[in-house]
Each structure stands twice: as C-alpha cells, then as structure tokens.
C-alpha cells in the first residue's frame, strides 16, 4: 500500500485516546456501574477436588432475606462447552477441581448472596484424585472422565527431518527436564459480567470478552438462544492478557440467573475468587534434547511436553500450537520432533495467557542454546547469530519469514547492553558474596494473527460526516493495549486529518462488523490493514470527487491538514478545499452521496494441515533480550540490574504505545521469572492473595532499554507487525542464563525465588549450608 | 446491628455528611454512597493500592481505613484532583507519558503520586519508585508511571 | 448485638471508656483489624484511639526516645530523632508495608497485634525497649518479650491500653536490620533479623540479636548473643554464632517459605550483621 513521504501520525508518540478519561477517574468499569433493578450474583464452588455430589441442599439459602433465586445443575439445561466440551455451567454429579460451580445465587445485595452461598449444604463422596500429570498417565490411574480412560484428551505430534539419525551424528548433545508452573493473569480488574434480558427476550451482555463474536456464538449454544438475539457490549476493561479468550462458567451462570430472576444480574469476582477460579498460564513439563555439530550449528531438537489439563479443558490445552513453532522455527534446525500429551488431573485448569505457551517453550530452548554454546566453546551470542533465521526463509514447519530482524535484534541488544565487554570483565570477582551475570535469549512469535479458525479476518466500516468527523467502526477489540489509538492513527494518516477528527467505535456487536477477536498479536496487523483499506477507499472517493468538482487531474491532489491539497506539476502544494465542505457538497448535491466505505481484511496466512505444517501467520515477530543480574549467594536473591530489549516490530506505529507494551511485557516476564507462582497443593490454591502471590512493584523494576528494529514488513499496515505478546516471552530464559553466568548453576524450574536459588546454590556446593560446618 | 455513626467531612472540596457503621471502609462509602468510583476495590487487603485516597494530604488505603475516621478530615479521590479546567498537571502527565493503559490502577497511582509530590516537590526517581511501592500495575511495568511523576514535578527526563 | 463506638480525644477518656467496657476492642490505624472486621468479626464495643493526640508524640529525652502508641510508621520515617537514636527502628519502618499502610499503621498496633512477623516489635526487641501499659488503675512497664506472649497473644489485661514505648539511647551503638524478599517493602517477612550492640575497645557488648518470623514471637538468639558478648570478632567466632542462631530459632513451613529456608536466612542475616561490625572502622582501629 502506498506510503506518504513524511508521516504525521505514524510513528509519533500519541497518548491513548481514552487516557484522559481514565486519568480523570471518571471512566466506569464493570464493577462501577449498575443497571436498573440489577441483582448481585455469587457462585458456590466445590470444597473438594474430586468427588461425587450426593446432594445439594439450597433450602436455607433460599430463605435469606433479599435472595431472589438459587440455581443448581438441576434447574437449568446444563450444556457442555469449551474446547474439550467437558465443562458445564453447573456441575451436577461430579466435581473435578476446586473451581467447580455447584450453585449460584442472585440477591439484592452482594452480602445476601454471599450469605446464601455459605448456607448451601453439599454432601460429597470423595473420589480418588490426581494431582500430577505423570501419575495421570500411569496405567491403573484413577479415571477422571469415563470417556477418556487413559486421562489423555489430546496429543500433538509434529516432526520434520530425522531426529534419531541427527542425534547420533551430533558432536554435542544436551538433555534436560524443565518444569513450568501455574501463574495467574492478575488483571487489576477482576472477572465480571452483567447479563440483562429485555422484554422482547433479547439478551444484552456487558462482558469483558476478548472475542465478542465467537463468544456470542458459543454463549447462544450454551444458554439455548440464537446468536443474533445476543448483544455483546464490551465496556472498559481492567486488563485481559489472554484471560478473556474463552467462556468460563460464571458467564452462562449470570445469564441463567438473570433469566430465572427476570432481573439483570451482575457477577464480579473478589480478588480471592479471581485467584481461585480464573484461568492460569498453562503449566508444562518439557523434556528436551538438543544437539549441534562441532562448529555449533544446530542439528536436532527432540521435545516431549506434558501438560496438566486440570479438571476441565480451556485454551491452555492448545498451547502446543505455539510451542512447536518455537521448537521448529526460532532457529534453523534441520531435524525436529515435538510430542505433547495433555493429561487430566484434579488441579485447576489453564487458559490462554499472553505468549500462549511460548514463555514455557522459550525457557527450555534458549537455555539449551547456551548449554550447547558452552559445549562448543562459542559465546552464546555467536551461537545464536550462527543459527539465526533470515528474511526469505521457509522453516521446516512451513513458516515463511518475509521479513525477519532476528540478527539485528541480537546485534542491537548485545551492543546496547555492552554484552561482550561485560562478559569479558566478569572474571575477577571470585570470593565475593554477590555475583553478577549476563544472559540473553531470543524469541519468535506470530505477528499477524494465527489462522486457527477458517478465517482470521476483521471488518471495518468508515464514514466521514458533514463536519469532517471520521468514524471507524472496527470489528476489533481494545483490551487496554491501545489498539484503538493505533487504528485512529492509521486512519488519520491515510486521510490527512487530525487525530482528534477520528473516532473509533469497537465495543458493540450490534454495530460492529465481524472479527475473530484479540489473540495472537493480530489487532494492529489485521484490524490495522482492514482500517487502512477502508480509509484508502474513502481517500480515493474524496480525491475523485474533488478532481471532478475542481476539474483537476487526480494525480495532483492529496489529503493533508483536514483538506484536499493541490500540487500543480510545477508549483507548491496549496489548500484546495476542506474535507468537511467536500463531504457536504457530495451529500447536498444531485449525487446525494454519503461518504461511507467498508472493508474486510483476511490475512494471507493458511490454516495448518494435520501435520501442523503451513504458514499460520502472514508475518512473525522476533526479539532478543539481554539481562544483567546480581545474585546474593547467602540468600539466593536475584536482583535484575538491567534489561535491554530489541524487537523486530516491522514499523513503529505509536512510539509511546509500543514502549508501554514492551515495558509492560518485560515486567510481566520478570515476574514469571522471579516471583510469580500460584502455589497449588493437592488441587488447592494456597496463596489466593497478593500478599503471597508477588507481582513486581515499582522499586524492583530495573531500567529497561527498548530498541525497535524496523523491518517494514511489506504486508503490514505501514510495514507494522503485532508485538503485543512478544516482550514477555524470552525474559525468563534470559534471566536463567544470566543466573548461570553469575553462579555456574542452571535452573530448570520457575520462578527463581530466593529459596529455590539458594537450594540450587547449596546443592551445587557454591554456598555452604548452615549446620554443614 | 451496628450503630450508625454520624460523620461530616470534606470530599473532593465539598462538605458532606453520612451515617456509617464503624466497620465500613472509607472506600465503600466513597464508591457506593457518593458514586465516586475512581478508587477501585482491587483486593480489599491493602496489597494493591487501587483504592488509594488522600486524607489530609496523606495517602491511605480506602479498603482498610474505617469510614468513621474520615470525620472532620479532607478526603480526595482521583476525581477530586481534576480542576475546573480538567485534568490536573499530574493527570495530564499520566496521559502524555503513556502511564495509562487499562487504567484500572490509574486513580490509585495518581493518589500515591500526588502524595509523593506533596512530600517531595522535586522528587528523585528513587523517591518516586518508593512512593509507588504500594500500588500494583499489571500493564505498564511502572516505567511510564515513574516518568509521568517526574514530568509532573517539572523534572522532565 | 449492638456495637458501641467511641472516639475519645484524650487518654483519660480512653482509659475511662476501657474501664467501663473492658471487652471493647481498641482500634488504632486499623490496618490489621479492618480485614477480619470486614469479614464480619464485629466486636461489641469499639474504641478508636487513633486520634488521641497524647499518643502521637515522639520525644527525645537525654537517654531515651519516648514514642506514643499511636505514632504511625510514616511518623517514624519522618523523624530525625528516630533515625539518629533508633536507626534499627527507622530501618524496620522503611521496609514496612507501603506508604499507603504506613500512614495509618501504628507502633502500638504492631506490638499488640502480636504477629510473629511484626517488624517494629522485632526492632524494638533489639533496641531493648520497654512498653508502658496503662489502665484506669495505674501504669506498668514491660519488656517486649514480656508483652508479646504468642501469636495474637499479649500480656495486656482487661481495661489496659498500650500507651507508649521507651527506647534507651546507647552511645556507640551499632545496629542493622535485615528482612527477606526482593521487594524493598510490601513484604511480610519470611525471616528478619534486628541487631544492636555497643562497641567498646574492639569488642561487642550488650549484643542483641532479634529474629522475626522464625518462632511464635519475635525472639532473641541468646546463645549466639552469649558467644559474641564481650569478645573480639573473628571469622571462626562469627561462624559459631551464625550456627548457634540458626540452631536456636524454631521456624515453621508455610506458604511464604519453608522452615529450612528461614533458618538459612537467619544464618545469612546474622552473618551479615556480625561481619558488618568487623567492617566497622572504629572496630578495626580499636582491634589492631
Ligand atoms: C498491606 C499490609 C502490609 C503490611 N506489612 C507489614 C510489615 O511489613 N511489617 C509488619 O510488621 N506489619 C505489616 N502489616 C501489619 C500491620 O500494618 C501492622 O501490624 C500495624 O502496625 C498495625 O497497626 P494498626 O494501628 O493498624 O493496628 P490496628 O489494626 O488498629 O490494631 C491491631 C491490634 O492491636 C490492638 N491495638 C492497637 N493499638 C493498641 C493499643 N495502643 N493498646 C492496646 N491494643 C492496641 C487492636 O485492638 C488490634 O487487635 C501490614 C499490613 C498490611 C495490610
Ligand atoms: S483494594 Fe485496597 S489495597 Fe487493594
Ligand atoms: S494500567 Fe492496567 S493495571 Fe495499570
């Protein structure tokens, strides 16, 4: 698509359009607004991890003053849903994890609803439970679903080349088992919904979903309605990060309550409930074997991944789609095998989370890069450069890298962090109780969506009113990441109007055209291209109309400063006519034409075949992080001194926005690496509070240096690719490599809490234990 | 039954009265009775700072401060930082520096930041970071927030 | 059941109120009390002492620092007297919760809440502080060890209020406060050590090593103290004291840390405290 010589909006530091409203404290999130006659819904969950439900007695609950309805599985048509069709709004006969919903109450006040939930009496008969996916796959293990006697609802097999042969011929081979645990999204706004029926029986959902159209379709099936009778409104949202990609039981429960009570019902999770009952990042056990030849070129990678599916299936079970891309394609590896088993247990279940399996995969792979580098005698940076992908490459899995800035990312992060100098200078610090180390890691992620459905497209409708105000109605969703602003910038740039003339409408399925939703870092790319198409059509219409009216060749006309500009062949540009006047002249003329355009953009990616081969995304994001750490040998505390992040972003669309995405992502990655863990023991969450689930705080955040590699992908809007997920992905791997550099001890499990690190240091003899004398 | 305690205080520059039970949190009073929903219930346990309010110029937790203790005091929420001309300079700096993403933590952050500026009109980066240590943000990684407070203090970059 | 609510403005009023309703719950900053209260644990009477001015003062006399029970952590941090006369208390305040909590969390609340992980109590124990309890009938003084009897258990009698804390000022005192966790603050201690000693002629005297979150109450590592008391430090002696301290604490496993790690932290912190003394120039000069 054509590009203007100098751009006004693209690449600028543009504050988010909704930021002033949010900064004033006046914007209302779901827990902040009430609809007339609204009741409060609360859910009674299981006390057991695996049990037969013998009876549920709701009689006392029903008597609590203010209670309108109490529902259990018996009261509704309990339709199965989800990726594994193994979840239902209420659990009637068997509970399979502590999240399981047994009953729900709608009452005048939250207190009354809570009180009623407490008074519901449940009789259980405990069943043998499973907490370890390895045990779940053993012969004779208790069975969690009779339909899956082997407890194995999904497997994934991918391969290219001949791993066995390559392993035998490799000069160096390393092998490890990595153990990645549960972490929580910790959206500052907890899960919430308001369900309201109107008198005509239409349902309006104020929902936090990231995928409004798929949500509407799935919800319709669950609650027995037609999708077109459901309107999904997406109010401002207090963070998502992937957590709202699936439907969870509380949502249809709100609908059932509203229907039964004939009143609108709002459910808002408490923080504790959010920790207990919202999806987590998928835990994974990764057994990885990797090899290289004598010069350090990768020969093979052989991975076996075991995923704990918990008691029900959500998107966590599908992370192998993304994991295998990193195994097969982050570097050139001629022989790759990737096998995953997904096992039911009685633990909580996992959903999608920014990075979608890639943090786990990258943690394993990038530590192996360092291990092989050490065996080969190469510096980790040289090892990566030697094996890095390049533009034009098609990988063994069929991913096509039209643009690829991985080498530049490696070079930039190394240079800006003074990587080589610092690694060399480290030698003389033996004997000290605090050790410094430097580590690096790289990443690959889809940068323009992922075609996991038949379509990965997005629709746009654009109109310019009589006052020159441009309205873009986009199918896409803004979950706080600032996509709305980027779309407005694209439109403003194409139409030569000031940003304050552009309004983006994106929050109502009754109005907006179809879109898959926010996932796979696709919004800037897919919705951006769609908006750009609609804006380009509008521009052509405007220029054509102006050319006709002013009898000028269209090639001499352009748009800038809210006006049509005329640049005669010989002379300088001058203002011909303001856009609003031009639009009015179309409207109030014989042509009686309104300026409205529409576009639908479908990315040029393909749905992968049964062997998982195919170019699933039209473009890919790459990045490299270098981190510097300090490790206290006596306490195991790891302090991060600096992060240098270099990302192939295609093109910077909003300099302010991208900085925020990268800083936020890096800090999320640091939390994953160092402090965050949802501690689950025998199926129960031990730390459902911020007091014991540690997010990083401002004083702990190190300086973060961001560099953007602009590879200008020819298919992206102005060359951009999506980077929403990228910055969180390789942080933990880089930290683990840095801790190794500092201490000589490798850690294969997260998070690197002081306690875990000290255990490792003592086991390796780096630190002397007390009592060891 | 809990007794209702009559209190009178200044809320965002206006004198208000209310009768409240002694165990009611100030956050609830401000949100539910006065419809000022800028301050959020992020955890209810003092750990996230989304509920932060200014009380006589000191930052407090809305969720753990008894409403009865507002009696005779001056309470400010993020809405109250705005002046007649709109956003305060601090709030505007939050906008300009990209300190607002999902925005859920923003009102609480602004209150904590305002308290930093009241105590240190030209704060060091360390003073800002320590001043915000009770406020969690999941979106921004805090960098832009710290920059916004610096900018508001006239420190620039 | 009706809850009565009182907000006395003077100490006498507060004591009188407590005398008439000895079962009343005292409310100071509420940072500990509000969580159970909001969950429904409502007492029959509530006496709010947070704004009793007499309980809010910080005074430095010749040989002591006198602190009112309702002095907040924020007040401690702003006080030069505290920084100079009781630096270990100041440091504990600096690593305490967050500014949003510090503005209301009080010294008296920290002591009376009697948490095993109470940081101010720990620092006060290391400072050899005494607390004053008052009731309508009179006053008495206790050490921190005498006051804090167990988790959530104190020696406060019915009708009694903790009114103040007295921290002796010792010339030539060195001190250190070590607390676990990557966060500078907003961290409930998995283990903490507060240390004070007086340096005399190259030797440590009056050594107090207080360990937090490793026993039902903040405790002193008395065996370790005895080992180093009056002696010149050398690496072997330090290691012996470290081993002794790690051996005498009685930590438990919980969601924050294992007992094993808590013991290791105590060892690391005691070692840091003692090594810092050998780094102290005054000590070096005197010893050599
Ligand atoms: C987010 C958060 C972080 C925290 N971090 C820390 C930390 O880092 N370190 C730490 O030590 N603590 C921490 N705490 C705990 C708490 O803040 C402290 O224990 C605080 O000092 C309690 O003081 P208060 O005035 O708020 O007590 P209150 O809650 O008012 O009272 C606590 C108890 O003491 C009694 N009481 C209070 N004052 C008196 C008195 N004068 N006489 C008799 N009885 C009295 C009350 O009846 C009540 O039982 C934290 C709390 C929160 C919410
Ligand atoms: S809601 Fe008050 S600190 Fe989280
Ligand atoms: S902006 Fe989303 S939590 Fe801070």
């Amino acid at each position: 698509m054509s590009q203007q010589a100098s751009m006004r909006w693209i690449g600028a530091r543009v504050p988010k359009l909704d930021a002033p409203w949010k900064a004033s404290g006046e914007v209302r999130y779901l827990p902040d607004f009430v609809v007339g006659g609204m009741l409060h819904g609360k859910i009674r969950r299981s006390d057991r991890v695996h049990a037969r439900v013998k009876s549920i007695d709701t009689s006392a609950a029903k008597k609590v003053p203010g209670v309108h309805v109490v529902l259990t599985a018996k009261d509704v048509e309990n339709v199965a849903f989800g990726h594994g069709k193994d979840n239902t709004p209420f659990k009637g006969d068997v509970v399979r994890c502590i999240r399981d919903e047994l009953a729900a109450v709608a009452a005048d006040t939250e207190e009354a609803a809570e009180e009623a939930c407490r008074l519901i009496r449940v009789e259980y008969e405990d069943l043998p439970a499973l907490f370890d996916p390895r045990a779940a796959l053993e012969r004779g293990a208790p069975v969690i679903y009779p339909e899956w006697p082997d407890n194995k609802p999904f497997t994934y097999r991918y391969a290219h080349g001949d791993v066995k042969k390559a392993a035998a011929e490799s000069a160096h081979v390393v092998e490890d088992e990595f153990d990645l645990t549960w972490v929580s999204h910790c959206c500052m706004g907890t899960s919430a919904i308001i369900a309201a029926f109107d008198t005509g029986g239409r349902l309006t959902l104020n929902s936090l979903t990231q995928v409004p159209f798929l949500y509407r379709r799935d919800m319709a099936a669950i609650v027995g309605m037609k999708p077109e009778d459901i309107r999904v409104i997406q109010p401002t949202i207090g963070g998502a990060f992937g957590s709202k990609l699936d439907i969870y039981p509380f949502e249809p429960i709100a609908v059932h309550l509203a229907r039964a009570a004939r009143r609108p019902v709002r459910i808002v999770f408490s923080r504790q409930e959010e920790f207990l009952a919202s999806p987590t990042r998928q835990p994974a056990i990764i057994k990885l074997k990797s090899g290289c030849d004598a010069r350090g070129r990768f020969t093979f990678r052989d991975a076996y991944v075991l995923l704990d599916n918990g008691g029900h299936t959500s998107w966590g079970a599908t992370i192998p789609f993304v994991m295998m891309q990193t195994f097969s394609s982050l570097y050139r590896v001629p022989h790759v095998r990737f096998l995953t088993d997904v096992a039911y247990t009685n633990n909580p279940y996992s959903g999608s989370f920014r990075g979608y399996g890639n943090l786990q995969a990258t943690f394993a792979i990038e530590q192996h890069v360092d291990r092989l580098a050490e065996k080969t005698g190469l510096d980790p940076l040289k090892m990566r450069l030697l094996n890095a992908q390049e533009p034009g490459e098609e990988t063994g899995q069929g991913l096509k890298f039209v643009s690829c800035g991985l080498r530049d990312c490696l070079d930039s992060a190394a240079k800006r962090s003074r990587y080589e100098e610092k690694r060399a200078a480290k030698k003389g610090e033996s004997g000290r109780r605090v050790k410094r180390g430097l580590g690096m890691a790289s990443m690959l992620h889809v940068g323009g969506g992922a075609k996991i459905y038949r379509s990965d497209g997005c629709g746009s409708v654009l109109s310019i009113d009589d006052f020159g105000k441009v309205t873009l109605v986009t199918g896409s969703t803004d979950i706080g990441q600032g996509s709305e602003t980027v779309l407005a910038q694209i439109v403003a740039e194409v139409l030569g109007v000031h940003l304050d003339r552009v309004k983006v409408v994106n929050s109502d399925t009754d109005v907006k055209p179809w879109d898959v939703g926010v996932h796979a870092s696709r919004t800037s790319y897919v919705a951006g291209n769609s908006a750009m198409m609609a804006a380009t059509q509008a521009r052509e219409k405007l220029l054509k109309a102006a050319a006709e009216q002013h009898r000028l060749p269209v090639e001499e006309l352009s748009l800038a400063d809210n006006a049509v500009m005329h640049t005669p062949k010989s002379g300088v540009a001058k203002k011909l006519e303001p856009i609003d006047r031009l639009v009015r002249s179309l409207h109030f003329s014989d042509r009686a034409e309104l300026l409205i355009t529409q576009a639908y953009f479908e990315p040029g990616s393909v749905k992968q075949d049964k062997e998982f081969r195919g170019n699933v995304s039209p473009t890919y994001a790459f990045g490299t992080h270098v981190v510097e750490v300090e490790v206290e040998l006596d306490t195991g505390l790891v302090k991060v001194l600096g992060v240098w992040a270099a990302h192939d972003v295609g093109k910077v669309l909003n300099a302010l926005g991208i900085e925020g995405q990268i800083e936020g992502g890096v800090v999320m990655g640091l939390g994953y690496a160092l402090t965050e863990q949802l501690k689950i023991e025998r199926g129960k969450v031990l730390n459902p509070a911020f007091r014991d689930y540690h997010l990083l705080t401002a004083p702990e955040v190190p300086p973060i240096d961001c560099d953007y590699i602009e590879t200008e992908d020819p298919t992206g809007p102005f060359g951009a690719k999506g980077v929403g997920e990228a910055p969180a992905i390789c942080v933990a791997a880089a930290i683990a490599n840095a801790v190794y550099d500092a201490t000589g001890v490798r850690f294969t499990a997260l998070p690197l809490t002081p306690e875990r690190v000290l255990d490792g240091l003592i086991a390796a003899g780096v630190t002397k234990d007390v009592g060891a004398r | 039954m809990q007794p209702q305690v009559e209190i009178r205080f200044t809320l965002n520059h206006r004198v208000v009265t209310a009768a409240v039970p002694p165990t009611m949190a100030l956050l609830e009073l401000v949100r539910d009775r006065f419809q000022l929903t800028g301050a959020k219930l992020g955890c209810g346990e003092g750990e996230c700072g989304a509920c932060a309010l200014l009380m006589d110029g000191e930052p407090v937790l809305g969720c753990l401060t008894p409403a009865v203790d507002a009696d005779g005091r001056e309470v400010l929420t993020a809405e109250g930082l705005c002046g007649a001309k709109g956003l305060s300079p601090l709030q505007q700096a939050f906008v300009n520096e990209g300190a607002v993403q999902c925005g859920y933590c923003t009102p609480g952050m602004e209150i904590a930041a305002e308290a930093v500026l009241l105590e240190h009109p030209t704060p060091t980066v360390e003073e800002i970071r320590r001043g915000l240590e009770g406020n969690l943000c999941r979106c921004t990684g805090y960098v832009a927030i710290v920059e916004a407070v610096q900018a508001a203090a006239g420190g620039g970059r | 059941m009706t809850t009565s609510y009182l907000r006395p403005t003077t100490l006498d009023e507060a004591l009188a109120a407590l005398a008439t309703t000895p079962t009343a719950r005292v409310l100071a900053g509420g940072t500990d009390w509000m969580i159970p209260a909001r969950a429904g644990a409502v007492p029959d009477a509530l006496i709010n002492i947070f704004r009793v001015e007499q309980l809010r003062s910080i005074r430095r006399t010749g040989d002591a620092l006198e602190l009112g029970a309702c002095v907040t952590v924020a007040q401690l941090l702003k006080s030069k007297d505290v920084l100079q006369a009781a630096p270990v208390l100041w440091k504990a305040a600096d690593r305490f919760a967050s500014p949003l909590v510090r503005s209301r969390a009080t010294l008296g609340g920290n002591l009376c809440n009697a948490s095993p992980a109470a940081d101010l109590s720990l620092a006060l124990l290391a400072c050899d502080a005494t607390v004053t309890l008052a009731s309508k009938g009179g006053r008495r003084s206790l050490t921190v060890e005498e006051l804090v009897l167990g988790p959530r258990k104190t020696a406060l009698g019915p009708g009694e209020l903790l009114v103040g804390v007295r921290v002796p000022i010792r010339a030539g005192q060195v001190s250190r406060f070590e607390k676990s966790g990557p966060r500078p603050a907003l961290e409930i201690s998995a283990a903490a050590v507060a240390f004070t000693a007086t340096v005399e002629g190259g030797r440590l005297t009056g050594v107090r090593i207080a360990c937090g979150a490793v026993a039902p109450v903040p405790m002193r590592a008395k065996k370790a103290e005895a080992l180093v008391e009056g002696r010149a430090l050398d690496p072997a002696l330090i290691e012996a004291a470290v081993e002794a301290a790690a051996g005498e604490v009685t930590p438990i496993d919980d969601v924050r840390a294992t007992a094993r790690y808590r013991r290791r932290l105590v060892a690391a912190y005691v070692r840091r405290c003692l090594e810092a003394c050998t780094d102290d120039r005054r000590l070096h000069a005197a010893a050599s």
Side-chain angles (χ1 to χ4, degrees), chain A residues 252-489:
Chain A
I253 285 177
V255 176
H256 286 308
L257 286 174
R259 187 186 267 153
R262 299 167 166 273
R263 294 270 287 269
V265 169
R266 183 176 84 183
I267 293 179
V268 177
F269 277 16
S270 70
R271 178 56 61 189
Q272 185 185 2
E273 205 172 9
E274 185 76 8
F275 273 116
L276 294 174
S278 63
T280 60
R281 191 181 286 289
Q282 176 67 51
I285 296 165
I286 303 173
K287 286 187 191 167
L288 179 63
K289 201 166 159 185
S290 317
C292 66
D293 65 17
R295 287 175 48 203
R297 284 173 309 197
F298 295 145
T299 46
F300 80 98
R301 227 173 245 146
D302 193 1
Y304 173 73
V305 179
L306 178 56
L307 300 182
D308 181 342
N309 202 41
H312 303 281
T313 305
S314 179
W315 291 125
T318 67
I319 63 166
F321 274 116
V322 176
M323 297 181 94
M324 71 174 79
Q325 289 163 21
T326 296
F327 281 101
S328 75
S329 305
L330 169 57
Y331 298 100
R332 265 175 271 121
V333 190
H335 308 278
V336 173
R337 186 165 62 182
F338 174 91
L339 174 67
T340 298
D341 287 327
V342 182
Y344 278 124
T345 65
N346 297 107
N347 287 323
Y349 48 98
S350 305
S352 92
F353 193 165
R354 194 185 201 175
Y356 217 96
N358 211 343
L359 284 76
Q360 296 92 315
T362 303
F363 181 69
I365 291 168
E366 285 292 286
Q367 289 206 71
H368 266 196
V369 173
D370 271 36
R371 287 202 59 196
L372 287 172
E374 191 176 4
K375 291 219 165 195
T376 316
L378 280 178
D379 180 86
L381 170 64
K382 300 237 165 59
M383 185 83 174
R384 288 181 172 81
L385 284 168
L386 181 69
N387 290 286
Q389 299 282 10
E390 288 184 41
E393 211 133 353
E394 177 168 350
T395 76
Q397 205 190 341
L399 311 188
K400 291 181 187 148
F401 299 148
V402 178
S403 64
C404 169
L406 180 54
R407 273 166 189 286
D408 290 338
C409 290
L410 282 160
D411 282 332
S412 161
K415 195 158 135 252
R416 293 165 77 96
S417 63
R418 296 191 292 129
Y419 173 83
E420 283 167 296
E421 189 186 321
K422 284 183 186 166
R423 293 267 295 196
K426 261 195 46 329
K427 303 289 174 246
E429 56 164 32
S430 62
R432 301 239 330 262
R433 196 167 287 149
V434 177
K435 300 268 189 191
R436 280 197 181 195
L438 219 58
M440 71 162 45
S442 293
M443 52 71 54
L444 152 76
H445 202 72
V446 294
K451 201 160 276 186
I452 46 173
Y453 303 100
R454 260 180 314 175
S455 155
D456 198 28
C458 172
S460 299
V461 177
L462 184 143
S463 60
I464 308 179
D465 72 10
D466 288 348
F467 310 101
K469 180 99 191 169
V470 183
T471 303
L472 171 73
V473 184
T474 171
S476 67
T477 293
D478 193 323
I479 51 173
Q481 83 277 39
S483 62
E484 177 189 27
T485 310
V486 163
L487 298 181
Q489 284 175 270

Side-chain angles (χ1 to χ4, degrees), chain B residues 46, chain C residues 25-26 28-33 96-97 106 109-110 112 118-119 162 179:
Chain C
R25 164 70 68 179
V26 172
T31 60
D32 276 319
W33 181 75
F96 189 103
T106 66
N110 199 254
C112 297
D119 291 322
L162 193 156
K179 175 173 168 177

Side-chain angles (χ1 to χ4, degrees), chain C residues 207-228:
Chain C
V207 180
R208 296 176 72 92
I209 302 172
C211 305
V214 288
V217 294
M219 67 167 278
R220 282 170 61 191
K222 291 192 176 159
K223 287 185 191 147
E225 290 174 0
L227 276 174
V228 293

Side-chain angles (χ1 to χ4, degrees), chain A residues 601-625:
Chain A
F601 176 75
E602 182 63 50
S605 43
V606 299
K607 202 163 178 255
Q608 290 177 332
D609 62 20
K610 291 222 159 48
E611 264 84 57
F612 302 105
R613 257 174 256 266
N615 191 33
V616 71
S617 182
T619 184
Y620 297 85
F622 299 87
T624 300
H625 291 184

Side-chain angles (χ1 to χ4, degrees), chain A residues 188 238-239 241, chain B residues 99-106 136-140 145:
Chain A
M188 292 312 294
F241 315 112
Chain B
V100 182
Q101 285 189 31
C102 84
Y104 209 80
C105 71
T106 305
L136 300 178
C137 173
R138 191 52 150 167
C139 302
T140 65
I145 298 175

